[in-house]
Amino acid sequence: MKRILSFLLAICLITGLLAACGDKKNTEKPADGSADPVETLKIEPSTDKYRNYYQVWIGAFCDSNGDGIGDLPGVISKLDYINDGDPNGGDDLGADGIWLSPMMPSKSYHKYNVRDYFDIDPDFGTLEDFDKLLEEAHKRGVKVIIDLVLNHSGDDHEFFLKACDELSEGKEDGYARYYNISKTSDNTYNRPVMGTDYYYEGPFSTDMPDWNLSYEGTREYFEKITKFWLEKGVDGFRLDAVKYFADKNTDAVEFLGWFYKMAQKYNPDVYMVGEDWDEAGNVYEMYKSGIDSLFNFKFGDTAGEFVSSCHGMIGDMAKKLQKYDNHIKENNANAINANFLTNHDMVRLANMLDEDDNKMAAALYMLAPGNAFTYYGEEIGIEAASTSSDAYYRTAMIWDNDDLPKITVPGVPSVDANALGGVKQQLGQKHSLLNAYRKLIKIRQQNPEIARGNIAELVSFDDKKCAGYITDYNGSRVLIIHNASDAAQELTIDMISNPELRGWLNADLAETPNEEPVKLDGTTLSVPARTSVVLKENK
Ligand code: CA
Ligand code: CA
């Protein structure tokens, strides 16, 4: 009997006549226009710099050889999860860009103190592994940017070791010129060169001496590094610690401008995003360098505008977003905002938000103009076991709750099962956080106006927790509405002509919910509580 039922069910599935089986919940395409457009709209893969970047912390992602450290072959083995190369099918995340955390030889596990800029750390693999990763990513239409640390080197870098040797003999005009050296100690020049009366600049730690970015020799060296990686096929860089580029010799905007133009010689389409963890005003200023993107720290992190607007005044958030976007584009007409919620230096979102709010926050940043950056594991809501150190935000990716990874991070106990499930579990749950991310990425790709448009108009309604904005991309306009309120809304959509429903995300939906989809009837839009909607103007 069971077999006959399975057979009948299979017939229903195959013929796509699920509705005819009498199961109303599974009706995908009711006649009232509330079918989910995301399922039917086609995706044209991006050919420009507007991307959905996925930040891969290599050591935590996937360990291919069982030594307890994630590695490049491991990343390659999981590329199909990030993007399987079919933009219109598969159960991949759909990200079309990858930011790889530092991978050059370094004595630390995080590898932000580089010893050798021309190789891969043996923990992670070889240059051949990296070539293979690039090839496989490019095959899938995925751009790869690598973390590049130009503010400082490791204290075991050949040039720094030579500089220290020379300084011990009082020689200042050799390798010491590559670094910022002083005979007087102050707030920044506070690391003594052992056995000498010299000090070096090292704001982060003793093992991270700051490069002298104004010295011609440093710039020649940086050009060699840049040429090496770009000629390999790298698509760009995530530049570390841009805020610290400024020193007594160096104007950070000038240096960054030089670096960007120099890199364009080797790849005219190079993409760069800088980490300028600073006040918005200083970030605006840094855009004058011509760099494509700088992370939007004002909106990111758990104290940023996106997270704090989860239950808040969306109109205020939209206004600030418009102001921010206008400012950066005033300083660089080609600026691409870089929105994110967390990265490897920040508390995991699941430590601060429940699943529903996590989804709402995801909708707020992913439906904002610019590029979206997702830190690995945030799409499945990994929760840190402790917030006592950064290492806890860099723990193993959970692929399967029933088969936990053996990856170990120094100072962190092995990982537990993820409360929301691993990738495998969440893929099978229609309304999981992972599927919310997959849907949001699709919506961004199906509607190029979201990432590429300017915020042309702010839109408000009676309930101040429900508001939005219109983005305009070469005259094509979409309206993005977030209902962060706990109440359903009935809205009149008269700010764009002939509105067409393009997608939505309901943050409140749990597994097997009584789904109340978004409905558009003429110009009347019904939006459930805690839901984001995208509509397109038709002329
Ligand atoms: Ca390994
Ligand atoms: Ca796919």
PDB file of all heavy atoms in Angstrom, residues 193-227:
ATOM      1  N   VAL A 193      63.214  48.081  18.293  1.00  0.00           N
ATOM      2  CA  VAL A 193      64.018  47.133  17.526  1.00  0.00           C
ATOM      3  C   VAL A 193      65.056  46.611  18.514  1.00  0.00           C
ATOM      4  O   VAL A 193      65.911  47.379  18.980  1.00  0.00           O
ATOM      5  CB  VAL A 193      64.704  47.821  16.321  1.00  0.00           C
ATOM      6  CG1 VAL A 193      65.595  46.815  15.570  1.00  0.00           C
ATOM      7  CG2 VAL A 193      63.669  48.432  15.383  1.00  0.00           C
ATOM      8  N   MET A 194      64.988  45.340  18.854  1.00  0.00           N
ATOM      9  CA  MET A 194      65.804  44.796  19.932  1.00  0.00           C
ATOM     10  C   MET A 194      67.298  45.055  19.715  1.00  0.00           C
ATOM     11  O   MET A 194      67.806  44.910  18.601  1.00  0.00           O
ATOM     12  CB  MET A 194      65.565  43.277  20.088  1.00  0.00           C
ATOM     13  CG  MET A 194      64.117  42.923  20.444  1.00  0.00           C
ATOM     14  SD  MET A 194      63.392  44.002  21.708  1.00  0.00           S
ATOM     15  CE  MET A 194      63.828  43.065  23.170  1.00  0.00           C
ATOM     16  N   GLY A 195      67.944  45.461  20.778  1.00  0.00           N
ATOM     17  CA  GLY A 195      69.390  45.683  20.710  1.00  0.00           C
ATOM     18  C   GLY A 195      69.787  47.003  20.061  1.00  0.00           C
ATOM     19  O   GLY A 195      70.964  47.212  19.771  1.00  0.00           O
ATOM     20  N   THR A 196      68.824  47.888  19.801  1.00  0.00           N
ATOM     21  CA  THR A 196      69.132  49.192  19.180  1.00  0.00           C
ATOM     22  C   THR A 196      68.360  50.281  19.922  1.00  0.00           C
ATOM     23  O   THR A 196      67.546  49.984  20.812  1.00  0.00           O
ATOM     24  CB  THR A 196      68.688  49.251  17.707  1.00  0.00           C
ATOM     25  OG1 THR A 196      67.254  49.378  17.668  1.00  0.00           O
ATOM     26  CG2 THR A 196      69.092  47.994  16.947  1.00  0.00           C
ATOM     27  N   ASP A 197      68.560  51.562  19.531  1.00  0.00           N
ATOM     28  CA  ASP A 197      67.708  52.632  20.094  1.00  0.00           C
ATOM     29  C   ASP A 197      66.594  52.985  19.122  1.00  0.00           C
ATOM     30  O   ASP A 197      66.018  54.065  19.207  1.00  0.00           O
ATOM     31  CB  ASP A 197      68.477  53.932  20.396  1.00  0.00           C
ATOM     32  CG  ASP A 197      69.956  53.780  20.382  1.00  0.00           C
ATOM     33  OD1 ASP A 197      70.372  52.759  20.929  1.00  0.00           O
ATOM     34  OD2 ASP A 197      70.670  54.656  19.851  1.00  0.00           O
ATOM     35  N   TYR A 198      66.321  52.127  18.183  1.00  0.00           N
ATOM     36  CA  TYR A 198      65.272  52.431  17.198  1.00  0.00           C
ATOM     37  C   TYR A 198      63.934  51.823  17.616  1.00  0.00           C
ATOM     38  O   TYR A 198      63.875  50.842  18.347  1.00  0.00           O
ATOM     39  CB  TYR A 198      65.661  51.884  15.819  1.00  0.00           C
ATOM     40  CG  TYR A 198      66.865  52.557  15.217  1.00  0.00           C
ATOM     41  CD1 TYR A 198      68.115  51.960  15.269  1.00  0.00           C
ATOM     42  CD2 TYR A 198      66.723  53.798  14.589  1.00  0.00           C
ATOM     43  CE1 TYR A 198      69.223  52.575  14.710  1.00  0.00           C
ATOM     44  CE2 TYR A 198      67.830  54.416  14.012  1.00  0.00           C
ATOM     45  CZ  TYR A 198      69.075  53.802  14.088  1.00  0.00           C
ATOM     46  OH  TYR A 198      70.161  54.413  13.535  1.00  0.00           O
ATOM     47  N   TYR A 199      62.897  52.453  17.067  1.00  0.00           N
ATOM     48  CA  TYR A 199      61.532  51.943  17.250  1.00  0.00           C
ATOM     49  C   TYR A 199      60.891  51.791  15.882  1.00  0.00           C
ATOM     50  O   TYR A 199      61.232  52.519  14.953  1.00  0.00           O
ATOM     51  CB  TYR A 199      60.688  52.921  18.078  1.00  0.00           C
ATOM     52  CG  TYR A 199      61.211  53.100  19.479  1.00  0.00           C
ATOM     53  CD1 TYR A 199      62.196  54.057  19.744  1.00  0.00           C
ATOM     54  CD2 TYR A 199      60.734  52.306  20.521  1.00  0.00           C
ATOM     55  CE1 TYR A 199      62.702  54.212  21.029  1.00  0.00           C
ATOM     56  CE2 TYR A 199      61.236  52.461  21.809  1.00  0.00           C
ATOM     57  CZ  TYR A 199      62.213  53.408  22.060  1.00  0.00           C
ATOM     58  OH  TYR A 199      62.699  53.559  23.325  1.00  0.00           O
ATOM     59  N   TYR A 200      59.983  50.854  15.775  1.00  0.00           N
ATOM     60  CA  TYR A 200      59.240  50.746  14.504  1.00  0.00           C
ATOM     61  C   TYR A 200      57.754  50.896  14.749  1.00  0.00           C
ATOM     62  O   TYR A 200      57.241  50.637  15.844  1.00  0.00           O
ATOM     63  CB  TYR A 200      59.556  49.433  13.775  1.00  0.00           C
ATOM     64  CG  TYR A 200      59.167  48.161  14.488  1.00  0.00           C
ATOM     65  CD1 TYR A 200      57.937  47.558  14.254  1.00  0.00           C
ATOM     66  CD2 TYR A 200      60.050  47.538  15.367  1.00  0.00           C
ATOM     67  CE1 TYR A 200      57.588  46.373  14.890  1.00  0.00           C
ATOM     68  CE2 TYR A 200      59.706  46.353  16.008  1.00  0.00           C
ATOM     69  CZ  TYR A 200      58.466  45.774  15.760  1.00  0.00           C
ATOM     70  OH  TYR A 200      58.136  44.611  16.399  1.00  0.00           O
ATOM     71  N   GLU A 201      57.070  51.309  13.683  1.00  0.00           N
ATOM     72  CA  GLU A 201      55.622  51.453  13.748  1.00  0.00           C
ATOM     73  C   GLU A 201      54.993  50.074  13.622  1.00  0.00           C
ATOM     74  O   GLU A 201      55.327  49.322  12.702  1.00  0.00           O
ATOM     75  CB  GLU A 201      55.125  52.360  12.608  1.00  0.00           C
ATOM     76  CG  GLU A 201      53.664  52.706  12.728  1.00  0.00           C
ATOM     77  CD  GLU A 201      53.049  53.272  11.440  1.00  0.00           C
ATOM     78  OE1 GLU A 201      53.722  53.267  10.394  1.00  0.00           O
ATOM     79  OE2 GLU A 201      51.898  53.699  11.509  1.00  0.00           O
ATOM     80  N   GLY A 202      54.088  49.755  14.526  1.00  0.00           N
ATOM     81  CA  GLY A 202      53.428  48.449  14.486  1.00  0.00           C
ATOM     82  C   GLY A 202      52.159  48.510  15.304  1.00  0.00           C
ATOM     83  O   GLY A 202      52.111  47.964  16.391  1.00  0.00           O
ATOM     84  N   PRO A 203      51.119  49.195  14.798  1.00  0.00           N
ATOM     85  CA  PRO A 203      49.922  49.415  15.610  1.00  0.00           C
ATOM     86  C   PRO A 203      49.224  48.132  16.038  1.00  0.00           C
ATOM     87  O   PRO A 203      48.546  48.107  17.060  1.00  0.00           O
ATOM     88  CB  PRO A 203      49.020  50.259  14.699  1.00  0.00           C
ATOM     89  CG  PRO A 203      49.545  50.068  13.317  1.00  0.00           C
ATOM     90  CD  PRO A 203      51.009  49.797  13.458  1.00  0.00           C
ATOM     91  N   PHE A 204      49.376  47.052  15.268  1.00  0.00           N
ATOM     92  CA  PHE A 204      48.633  45.831  15.589  1.00  0.00           C
ATOM     93  C   PHE A 204      49.342  44.972  16.629  1.00  0.00           C
ATOM     94  O   PHE A 204      48.754  44.592  17.625  1.00  0.00           O
ATOM     95  CB  PHE A 204      48.368  45.014  14.319  1.00  0.00           C
ATOM     96  CG  PHE A 204      47.352  45.659  13.434  1.00  0.00           C
ATOM     97  CD1 PHE A 204      47.739  46.449  12.370  1.00  0.00           C
ATOM     98  CD2 PHE A 204      45.997  45.506  13.683  1.00  0.00           C
ATOM     99  CE1 PHE A 204      46.799  47.064  11.559  1.00  0.00           C
ATOM    100  CE2 PHE A 204      45.048  46.120  12.876  1.00  0.00           C
ATOM    101  CZ  PHE A 204      45.450  46.902  11.817  1.00  0.00           C
ATOM    102  N   SER A 205      50.609  44.655  16.345  1.00  0.00           N
ATOM    103  CA  SER A 205      51.346  43.839  17.306  1.00  0.00           C
ATOM    104  C   SER A 205      52.832  43.873  16.952  1.00  0.00           C
ATOM    105  O   SER A 205      53.214  44.375  15.897  1.00  0.00           O
ATOM    106  CB  SER A 205      50.831  42.392  17.310  1.00  0.00           C
ATOM    107  OG  SER A 205      51.207  41.748  16.116  1.00  0.00           O
ATOM    108  N   THR A 206      53.641  43.331  17.842  1.00  0.00           N
ATOM    109  CA  THR A 206      55.093  43.353  17.597  1.00  0.00           C
ATOM    110  C   THR A 206      55.458  42.581  16.334  1.00  0.00           C
ATOM    111  O   THR A 206      56.436  42.906  15.676  1.00  0.00           O
ATOM    112  CB  THR A 206      55.871  42.721  18.773  1.00  0.00           C
ATOM    113  OG1 THR A 206      55.276  41.453  19.057  1.00  0.00           O
ATOM    114  CG2 THR A 206      55.835  43.598  19.999  1.00  0.00           C
ATOM    115  N   ASP A 207      54.671  41.560  15.996  1.00  0.00           N
ATOM    116  CA  ASP A 207      55.052  40.772  14.809  1.00  0.00           C
ATOM    117  C   ASP A 207      54.438  41.300  13.514  1.00  0.00           C
ATOM    118  O   ASP A 207      54.398  40.605  12.510  1.00  0.00           O
ATOM    119  CB  ASP A 207      54.753  39.286  15.017  1.00  0.00           C
ATOM    120  CG  ASP A 207      53.272  38.994  15.217  1.00  0.00           C
ATOM    121  OD1 ASP A 207      52.456  39.930  15.144  1.00  0.00           O
ATOM    122  OD2 ASP A 207      52.935  37.815  15.445  1.00  0.00           O
ATOM    123  N   MET A 208      53.956  42.557  13.543  1.00  0.00           N
ATOM    124  CA  MET A 208      53.395  43.159  12.339  1.00  0.00           C
ATOM    125  C   MET A 208      53.966  44.564  12.116  1.00  0.00           C
ATOM    126  O   MET A 208      53.292  45.578  12.347  1.00  0.00           O
ATOM    127  CB  MET A 208      51.868  43.241  12.442  1.00  0.00           C
ATOM    128  CG  MET A 208      51.183  41.882  12.435  1.00  0.00           C
ATOM    129  SD  MET A 208      49.397  42.060  12.587  1.00  0.00           S
ATOM    130  CE  MET A 208      48.859  40.369  12.403  1.00  0.00           C
ATOM    131  N   PRO A 209      55.226  44.652  11.674  1.00  0.00           N
ATOM    132  CA  PRO A 209      55.818  45.974  11.431  1.00  0.00           C
ATOM    133  C   PRO A 209      55.224  46.643  10.188  1.00  0.00           C
ATOM    134  O   PRO A 209      55.074  45.998   9.154  1.00  0.00           O
ATOM    135  CB  PRO A 209      57.302  45.649  11.216  1.00  0.00           C
ATOM    136  CG  PRO A 209      57.326  44.223  10.757  1.00  0.00           C
ATOM    137  CD  PRO A 209      56.159  43.541  11.405  1.00  0.00           C
ATOM    138  N   ASP A 210      54.868  47.908  10.318  1.00  0.00           N
ATOM    139  CA  ASP A 210      54.234  48.631   9.203  1.00  0.00           C
ATOM    140  C   ASP A 210      55.232  48.978   8.106  1.00  0.00           C
ATOM    141  O   ASP A 210      56.324  49.493   8.374  1.00  0.00           O
ATOM    142  CB  ASP A 210      53.594  49.935   9.713  1.00  0.00           C
ATOM    143  CG  ASP A 210      52.181  49.709  10.203  1.00  0.00           C
ATOM    144  OD1 ASP A 210      51.894  48.603  10.713  1.00  0.00           O
ATOM    145  OD2 ASP A 210      51.360  50.632  10.072  1.00  0.00           O
ATOM    146  N   TRP A 211      54.821  48.711   6.876  1.00  0.00           N
ATOM    147  CA  TRP A 211      55.627  49.107   5.713  1.00  0.00           C
ATOM    148  C   TRP A 211      55.687  50.629   5.616  1.00  0.00           C
ATOM    149  O   TRP A 211      54.721  51.318   5.959  1.00  0.00           O
ATOM    150  CB  TRP A 211      54.993  48.592   4.418  1.00  0.00           C
ATOM    151  CG  TRP A 211      55.057  47.115   4.185  1.00  0.00           C
ATOM    152  CD1 TRP A 211      54.023  46.227   4.309  1.00  0.00           C
ATOM    153  CD2 TRP A 211      56.189  46.352   3.731  1.00  0.00           C
ATOM    154  NE1 TRP A 211      54.453  44.960   3.980  1.00  0.00           N
ATOM    155  CE2 TRP A 211      55.767  45.008   3.614  1.00  0.00           C
ATOM    156  CE3 TRP A 211      57.515  46.674   3.420  1.00  0.00           C
ATOM    157  CZ2 TRP A 211      56.628  43.984   3.204  1.00  0.00           C
ATOM    158  CZ3 TRP A 211      58.365  45.657   3.005  1.00  0.00           C
ATOM    159  CH2 TRP A 211      57.923  44.330   2.901  1.00  0.00           C
ATOM    160  N   ASN A 212      56.783  51.137   5.081  1.00  0.00           N
ATOM    161  CA  ASN A 212      56.861  52.550   4.699  1.00  0.00           C
ATOM    162  C   ASN A 212      56.300  52.653   3.290  1.00  0.00           C
ATOM    163  O   ASN A 212      56.973  52.327   2.307  1.00  0.00           O
ATOM    164  CB  ASN A 212      58.319  53.019   4.734  1.00  0.00           C
ATOM    165  CG  ASN A 212      58.469  54.454   4.239  1.00  0.00           C
ATOM    166  OD1 ASN A 212      57.492  55.094   3.837  1.00  0.00           O
ATOM    167  ND2 ASN A 212      59.692  54.961   4.271  1.00  0.00           N
ATOM    168  N   LEU A 213      55.060  53.091   3.216  1.00  0.00           N
ATOM    169  CA  LEU A 213      54.328  53.046   1.944  1.00  0.00           C
ATOM    170  C   LEU A 213      54.735  54.166   0.989  1.00  0.00           C
ATOM    171  O   LEU A 213      54.310  54.190  -0.157  1.00  0.00           O
ATOM    172  CB  LEU A 213      52.825  53.084   2.208  1.00  0.00           C
ATOM    173  CG  LEU A 213      52.282  51.940   3.078  1.00  0.00           C
ATOM    174  CD1 LEU A 213      50.803  52.140   3.373  1.00  0.00           C
ATOM    175  CD2 LEU A 213      52.514  50.593   2.412  1.00  0.00           C
ATOM    176  N   SER A 214      55.538  55.098   1.473  1.00  0.00           N
ATOM    177  CA  SER A 214      55.971  56.186   0.593  1.00  0.00           C
ATOM    178  C   SER A 214      57.329  55.905  -0.041  1.00  0.00           C
ATOM    179  O   SER A 214      57.728  56.581  -0.984  1.00  0.00           O
ATOM    180  CB  SER A 214      56.050  57.506   1.369  1.00  0.00           C
ATOM    181  OG  SER A 214      54.747  57.923   1.667  1.00  0.00           O
ATOM    182  N   TYR A 215      58.025  54.925   0.490  1.00  0.00           N
ATOM    183  CA  TYR A 215      59.352  54.607  -0.044  1.00  0.00           C
ATOM    184  C   TYR A 215      59.207  53.958  -1.428  1.00  0.00           C
ATOM    185  O   TYR A 215      58.420  53.017  -1.615  1.00  0.00           O
ATOM    186  CB  TYR A 215      60.077  53.674   0.928  1.00  0.00           C
ATOM    187  CG  TYR A 215      61.389  53.142   0.436  1.00  0.00           C
ATOM    188  CD1 TYR A 215      62.354  53.985  -0.134  1.00  0.00           C
ATOM    189  CD2 TYR A 215      61.677  51.783   0.541  1.00  0.00           C
ATOM    190  CE1 TYR A 215      63.567  53.474  -0.581  1.00  0.00           C
ATOM    191  CE2 TYR A 215      62.890  51.267   0.103  1.00  0.00           C
ATOM    192  CZ  TYR A 215      63.825  52.122  -0.465  1.00  0.00           C
ATOM    193  OH  TYR A 215      65.020  51.614  -0.912  1.00  0.00           O
ATOM    194  N   GLU A 216      59.951  54.470  -2.354  1.00  0.00           N
ATOM    195  CA  GLU A 216      59.904  53.981  -3.736  1.00  0.00           C
ATOM    196  C   GLU A 216      60.173  52.471  -3.812  1.00  0.00           C
ATOM    197  O   GLU A 216      59.537  51.755  -4.581  1.00  0.00           O
ATOM    198  CB  GLU A 216      60.978  54.730  -4.532  1.00  0.00           C
ATOM    199  CG  GLU A 216      60.767  54.791  -6.012  1.00  0.00           C
ATOM    200  CD  GLU A 216      61.900  55.591  -6.655  1.00  0.00           C
ATOM    201  OE1 GLU A 216      62.158  56.727  -6.184  1.00  0.00           O
ATOM    202  OE2 GLU A 216      62.540  55.038  -7.564  1.00  0.00           O
ATOM    203  N   GLY A 217      61.121  52.009  -3.000  1.00  0.00           N
ATOM    204  CA  GLY A 217      61.465  50.584  -3.009  1.00  0.00           C
ATOM    205  C   GLY A 217      60.288  49.712  -2.585  1.00  0.00           C
ATOM    206  O   GLY A 217      60.057  48.633  -3.153  1.00  0.00           O
ATOM    207  N   THR A 218      59.536  50.171  -1.585  1.00  0.00           N
ATOM    208  CA  THR A 218      58.355  49.417  -1.149  1.00  0.00           C
ATOM    209  C   THR A 218      57.359  49.324  -2.299  1.00  0.00           C
ATOM    210  O   THR A 218      56.791  48.266  -2.565  1.00  0.00           O
ATOM    211  CB  THR A 218      57.675  50.112   0.051  1.00  0.00           C
ATOM    212  OG1 THR A 218      58.662  50.397   1.039  1.00  0.00           O
ATOM    213  CG2 THR A 218      56.589  49.255   0.650  1.00  0.00           C
ATOM    214  N   ARG A 219      57.183  50.451  -2.984  1.00  0.00           N
ATOM    215  CA  ARG A 219      56.192  50.453  -4.069  1.00  0.00           C
ATOM    216  C   ARG A 219      56.633  49.558  -5.221  1.00  0.00           C
ATOM    217  O   ARG A 219      55.794  48.886  -5.839  1.00  0.00           O
ATOM    218  CB  ARG A 219      55.926  51.889  -4.534  1.00  0.00           C
ATOM    219  CG  ARG A 219      55.243  52.697  -3.435  1.00  0.00           C
ATOM    220  CD  ARG A 219      54.660  53.999  -3.933  1.00  0.00           C
ATOM    221  NE  ARG A 219      54.060  54.742  -2.813  1.00  0.00           N
ATOM    222  CZ  ARG A 219      53.246  55.772  -2.949  1.00  0.00           C
ATOM    223  NH1 ARG A 219      52.937  56.220  -4.146  1.00  0.00           N
ATOM    224  NH2 ARG A 219      52.749  56.362  -1.887  1.00  0.00           N
ATOM    225  N   GLU A 220      57.927  49.514  -5.494  1.00  0.00           N
ATOM    226  CA  GLU A 220      58.407  48.600  -6.544  1.00  0.00           C
ATOM    227  C   GLU A 220      58.148  47.147  -6.138  1.00  0.00           C
ATOM    228  O   GLU A 220      57.740  46.324  -6.954  1.00  0.00           O
ATOM    229  CB  GLU A 220      59.918  48.801  -6.774  1.00  0.00           C
ATOM    230  CG  GLU A 220      60.230  50.002  -7.650  1.00  0.00           C
ATOM    231  CD  GLU A 220      61.707  50.366  -7.631  1.00  0.00           C
ATOM    232  OE1 GLU A 220      62.532  49.528  -7.212  1.00  0.00           O
ATOM    233  OE2 GLU A 220      62.024  51.510  -8.025  1.00  0.00           O
ATOM    234  N   TYR A 221      58.382  46.873  -4.861  1.00  0.00           N
ATOM    235  CA  TYR A 221      58.144  45.528  -4.339  1.00  0.00           C
ATOM    236  C   TYR A 221      56.655  45.172  -4.429  1.00  0.00           C
ATOM    237  O   TYR A 221      56.281  44.075  -4.858  1.00  0.00           O
ATOM    238  CB  TYR A 221      58.653  45.462  -2.893  1.00  0.00           C
ATOM    239  CG  TYR A 221      58.510  44.121  -2.221  1.00  0.00           C
ATOM    240  CD1 TYR A 221      59.175  43.001  -2.704  1.00  0.00           C
ATOM    241  CD2 TYR A 221      57.715  43.977  -1.087  1.00  0.00           C
ATOM    242  CE1 TYR A 221      59.041  41.767  -2.082  1.00  0.00           C
ATOM    243  CE2 TYR A 221      57.580  42.760  -0.451  1.00  0.00           C
ATOM    244  CZ  TYR A 221      58.251  41.650  -0.954  1.00  0.00           C
ATOM    245  OH  TYR A 221      58.115  40.440  -0.332  1.00  0.00           O
ATOM    246  N   PHE A 222      55.807  46.129  -4.068  1.00  0.00           N
ATOM    247  CA  PHE A 222      54.354  45.891  -4.130  1.00  0.00           C
ATOM    248  C   PHE A 222      53.898  45.667  -5.573  1.00  0.00           C
ATOM    249  O   PHE A 222      52.973  44.909  -5.841  1.00  0.00           O
ATOM    250  CB  PHE A 222      53.587  47.071  -3.518  1.00  0.00           C
ATOM    251  CG  PHE A 222      53.584  47.080  -2.007  1.00  0.00           C
ATOM    252  CD1 PHE A 222      54.310  46.145  -1.281  1.00  0.00           C
ATOM    253  CD2 PHE A 222      52.830  48.027  -1.309  1.00  0.00           C
ATOM    254  CE1 PHE A 222      54.306  46.156   0.115  1.00  0.00           C
ATOM    255  CE2 PHE A 222      52.813  48.045   0.078  1.00  0.00           C
ATOM    256  CZ  PHE A 222      53.546  47.112   0.792  1.00  0.00           C
ATOM    257  N   GLU A 223      54.556  46.358  -6.493  1.00  0.00           N
ATOM    258  CA  GLU A 223      54.173  46.159  -7.898  1.00  0.00           C
ATOM    259  C   GLU A 223      54.489  44.730  -8.348  1.00  0.00           C
ATOM    260  O   GLU A 223      53.708  44.106  -9.060  1.00  0.00           O
ATOM    261  CB  GLU A 223      54.859  47.192  -8.807  1.00  0.00           C
ATOM    262  CG  GLU A 223      54.446  47.022 -10.269  1.00  0.00           C
ATOM    263  CD  GLU A 223      54.638  48.257 -11.130  1.00  0.00           C
ATOM    264  OE1 GLU A 223      55.032  49.314 -10.599  1.00  0.00           O
ATOM    265  OE2 GLU A 223      54.393  48.156 -12.350  1.00  0.00           O
ATOM    266  N   LYS A 224      55.624  44.211  -7.889  1.00  0.00           N
ATOM    267  CA  LYS A 224      55.979  42.823  -8.228  1.00  0.00           C
ATOM    268  C   LYS A 224      54.928  41.852  -7.691  1.00  0.00           C
ATOM    269  O   LYS A 224      54.540  40.900  -8.361  1.00  0.00           O
ATOM    270  CB  LYS A 224      57.346  42.459  -7.619  1.00  0.00           C
ATOM    271  CG  LYS A 224      58.522  42.922  -8.451  1.00  0.00           C
ATOM    272  CD  LYS A 224      59.824  42.405  -7.814  1.00  0.00           C
ATOM    273  CE  LYS A 224      60.987  43.246  -8.286  1.00  0.00           C
ATOM    274  NZ  LYS A 224      62.096  43.268  -7.336  1.00  0.00           N
ATOM    275  N   ILE A 225      54.509  42.107  -6.449  1.00  0.00           N
ATOM    276  CA  ILE A 225      53.494  41.233  -5.817  1.00  0.00           C
ATOM    277  C   ILE A 225      52.192  41.284  -6.619  1.00  0.00           C
ATOM    278  O   ILE A 225      51.586  40.255  -6.930  1.00  0.00           O
ATOM    279  CB  ILE A 225      53.229  41.704  -4.365  1.00  0.00           C
ATOM    280  CG1 ILE A 225      54.489  41.566  -3.510  1.00  0.00           C
ATOM    281  CG2 ILE A 225      52.053  40.954  -3.749  1.00  0.00           C
ATOM    282  CD1 ILE A 225      54.421  42.319  -2.177  1.00  0.00           C
ATOM    283  N   THR A 226      51.787  42.496  -6.946  1.00  0.00           N
ATOM    284  CA  THR A 226      50.521  42.701  -7.650  1.00  0.00           C
ATOM    285  C   THR A 226      50.544  42.030  -9.022  1.00  0.00           C
ATOM    286  O   THR A 226      49.593  41.339  -9.406  1.00  0.00           O
ATOM    287  CB  THR A 226      50.282  44.220  -7.817  1.00  0.00           C
ATOM    288  OG1 THR A 226      50.391  44.813  -6.524  1.00  0.00           O
ATOM    289  CG2 THR A 226      48.921  44.512  -8.394  1.00  0.00           C
ATOM    290  N   LYS A 227      51.649  42.222  -9.729  1.00  0.00           N
ATOM    291  CA  LYS A 227      51.821  41.629 -11.060  1.00  0.00           C
ATOM    292  C   LYS A 227      51.746  40.100 -10.951  1.00  0.00           C
ATOM    293  O   LYS A 227      51.059  39.448 -11.735  1.00  0.00           O
ATOM    294  CB  LYS A 227      53.187  42.069 -11.598  1.00  0.00           C
ATOM    295  CG  LYS A 227      53.540  41.596 -12.984  1.00  0.00           C
ATOM    296  CD  LYS A 227      54.842  42.295 -13.431  1.00  0.00           C
ATOM    297  CE  LYS A 227      55.216  41.984 -14.869  1.00  0.00           C
ATOM    298  NZ  LYS A 227      55.825  40.686 -15.077  1.00  0.00           N
TER     299      LYS A 227
END
